[in-house]
Amino acid sequence: MGTISEKIFSRAAGKEAKANDFVLADVDYAMAHDGTSILAVNAFKEMEMEKVWDPSKIVIPFDHIAPANTETSATLQKEIREWVREQGIPNFYEIGEGICHQVLPENGFALPGKLLVGADSHSCTYGAFGAFATGVGATDMAEIFATGKLWFKVPESFRMTVEGSLDKHVYAKDLTLYLIGKTGIAGATYKAVEFYGQAISELSVAGRMTLCNMAIEMGAKTGIVPPDEKTFDFLKNRAVAPYEPVYSDPDASYLKEFVYDAGDIEPHVACPHQVDNVKPVGEVEGTHVDQVFIGTCTNGRLEDLEVAASVLKGKKVAVRTIIIPASRSTLLAAIENGTMEILLKAGVTPATPGCGPCLGAHQGVLGEGEVCVSTANRNFKGRMGKDGFIYLASPATAAASALTGEITDPRKI
Ligand SMILES: CC(C)[C@H](C(=O)O)[C@@H](O)C(=O)O
Ligand code: SF4
């Protein structure tokens, strides 16, 4: 019978949908942020549309260059705010509320069985809740704004199982980088990757978000973790609508199945300039570091900040270290439980919840030849400054490297 994707598309298209079918599907929630909504809004206006299909289903967070860094971005943001007001879109999140991929789950939009589409490639993050969630371009988003529908080719699915438990000092990010290293940046192109196994069930909700966030980095259309009690607990008092969890059938058909052993996974880093250039941290230990960045939609959640604090507690960073909580509520929680104080005393520089320097626009871009250990999801050439070098790592590895000024195995701190 069906995979999770086939089942979600069957419901959303109102007829049985199988892998490779083309379907016109009803989108449950649509997201566009300050970086992409202006393009979508312009395309929407060009279509001579007046009203969006359903203002309550559209979510607009301001996170990418927030607060604005130039007059141009300030003016574009002003135009989006005006459009949001005109359209009566209630789910608008101002600068400082956080990164779109944190804001949607926290506010209960990322729900099992739903179809979510975002004008951002890391919208696959919501698959951590058993949704089918994917990124589209601005003109597709304009189509959704207008009609609430979009054409999809139902993806074929991969089944990735990670058996056993991760070691104590190995985190969701290490697991994710390991899987991307095995699959390659194009190894799962246009596939939906379903994740199974003990190591996946043992991941926290935040860890599952880290994993699904980076599904796109193996080329996947989305990554999906089947929802369980942890998911339902997280959604209690948050879900904006009733939802129905969807699971694959025992005889569902997968294009490929992969089985990995969590015991084989150690701390990993993705070396410049490609996300699948993944190595165990030991192979690059000692590499000089100029900046450490802990944050983003991949690893800016409370547990990530807590891990960093556990490494930095009572010590001082040796290089400039920027820490950006993924959302206002993450920042508040980190203040309330003392995490923020530990980090500040260790010498880190905080910034407004949002994307920060992740996309190379502001708040910590790199100088020529500089090296950054970052907890983000992309390390392409030019990503954080045109001649910078980015090593992607877990918050533990990033914090350990901040203490020494060189890439450091967190197990040795
Ligand atoms: C700006 C936006 C379109 C982009 C994306 O889609 O991923 C950004 O979030 C990124 O991570 O590069
Ligand atoms: S934090 Fe980085 S990867 Fe995530 S949405 Fe923002 S720019 Fe994109």
Side-chain angles (χ1 to χ4, degrees), residues 309-386:
S310 71
V311 176
L312 297 177
K313 188 167 188 179
K315 301 178 178 154
K316 286 269 183 236
V317 294
V319 289
R320 60 182 201 260
T321 300
I322 298 165
I323 298 206
I324 306 187
S327 67
R328 181 187 296 277
S329 65
T330 308
L331 172 57
L332 260 174
I335 290 172
E336 278 162 15
N337 76 5
T339 300
M340 223 45 214
E341 187 175 340
I342 296 171
L343 295 173
L344 289 170
K345 284 185 173 159
V348 312
T349 303
T352 310
C355 300
C358 177
L359 73 162
H362 64 164
Q363 293 180 336
V365 292
L366 302 173
E368 238 170 71
E370 284 193 317
V371 175
C372 180
V373 175
S374 163
T375 65
N377 47 33
R378 284 187 177 151
N379 61 352
F380 311 145
K381 198 164 173 32
R383 171 82 176 169
M384 277 177 78
K386 98 174 146 45

Side-chain angles (χ1 to χ4, degrees), residues 32-206:
H33 49 65
D34 57 317
T36 52
S37 52
I38 190 70
L39 302 168
V41 167
N42 289 342
F44 177 84
K45 288 179 180 165
E46 274 167 34
M47 291 160 72
E48 297 183 358
M49 295 302 301
E50 279 186 6
K51 279 281 164 201
V52 298
W53 106 99
D54 183 347
S56 71
K57 303 259 179 95
I58 296 173
V59 188
I60 314 261
F62 271 14
D63 55 355
H64 273 64
I65 305 186
N69 61 344
T70 59
E71 279 176 24
T72 309
S73 62
T75 304
L76 294 176
Q77 293 185 7
K78 178 178 156 235
E79 284 171 26
I80 304 165
R81 286 191 187 94
E82 282 166 6
W83 184 80
V84 163
R85 227 174 291 130
E86 265 164 43
Q87 294 291 335
I89 293 171
N91 306 307
F92 171 68
Y93 294 92
E94 257 298 353
I95 59 162
E97 289 307 316
I99 308 169
C100 51
H101 307 312
Q102 184 65 15
V103 165
L104 267 75
E106 271 180 7
N107 290 283
F109 292 98
L111 296 170
K114 301 283 188 204
L115 175 61
L116 283 98
V117 181
D120 188 281
S121 61
H122 295 104
S123 303
C124 47
T125 310
Y126 321 134
F129 300 87
F132 186 98
T134 197
V136 295
T139 37
D140 280 344
M141 187 48 69
E143 184 69 38
I144 298 174
F145 283 171
T147 65
K149 294 178 196 291
L150 194 65
W151 282 97
F152 289 88
K153 181 178 169 191
V154 179
E156 295 174 303
S157 296
F158 282 178
R159 188 182 172 98
M160 240 178 233
T161 305
V162 188
E163 290 173 343
S165 298
L166 293 172
D167 281 356
K168 187 160 174 284
H169 295 290
V170 177
Y171 298 91
K173 182 61 161 292
D174 300 306
L175 162 71
T176 306
L177 293 176
Y178 177 86
L179 295 177
I180 292 170
K182 292 282 178 200
T183 313
I185 50 165
T189 300
Y190 209 87
K191 306 296 178 286
V193 183
E194 294 182 12
F195 297 104
Y196 293 94
Q198 187 181 343
I200 307 296
S201 336
E202 287 176 2
L203 288 179
S204 62
V205 165

